[in-house]
């Protein structure tokens, strides 16, 4: 679980460093496209009953 969370945090950091002048809407789009997928993939491991 820690590895998946670390990977998602790294990708979010890359987005923040790469795109310095970005509005909330664009950051949300990039976050959902790149970071959310990693977290969603690991969700059954965190909570297998749901």
């Amino acid at each position: 679980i820690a590895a998946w969370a670390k990977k998602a945090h790294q990708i979010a950091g890359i987005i923040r460093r790469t795109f310095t002048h970005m509005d909330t809407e664009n950051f949300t789009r990039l976050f959902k496209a790149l970071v959310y997928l990693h977290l969603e993939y690991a969700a059954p491991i965190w909570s297998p009953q749901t």
Side-chain angles (χ1 to χ4, degrees):
I1 295 171
W4 285 105
K6 182 179 177 182
K7 182 68 174 177
H9 185 69
Q10 287 174 345
I11 295 171
I14 290 170
I15 292 171
R16 276 188 250 142
R17 285 191 303 272
T18 305
F19 301 99
T20 55
H21 302 289
M22 183 180 354
D23 60 353
T24 306
E25 182 181 340
N26 287 336
F27 180 78
T28 304
R29 286 181 184 168
L30 284 170
F31 185 87
K32 287 181 180 178
L34 300 174
V35 179
Y36 188 72
L37 296 176
H38 289 280
L39 296 175
E40 188 177 285
Y41 180 75
I45 297 170
W46 295 338
S47 181
Q49 68 273 9
T50 56

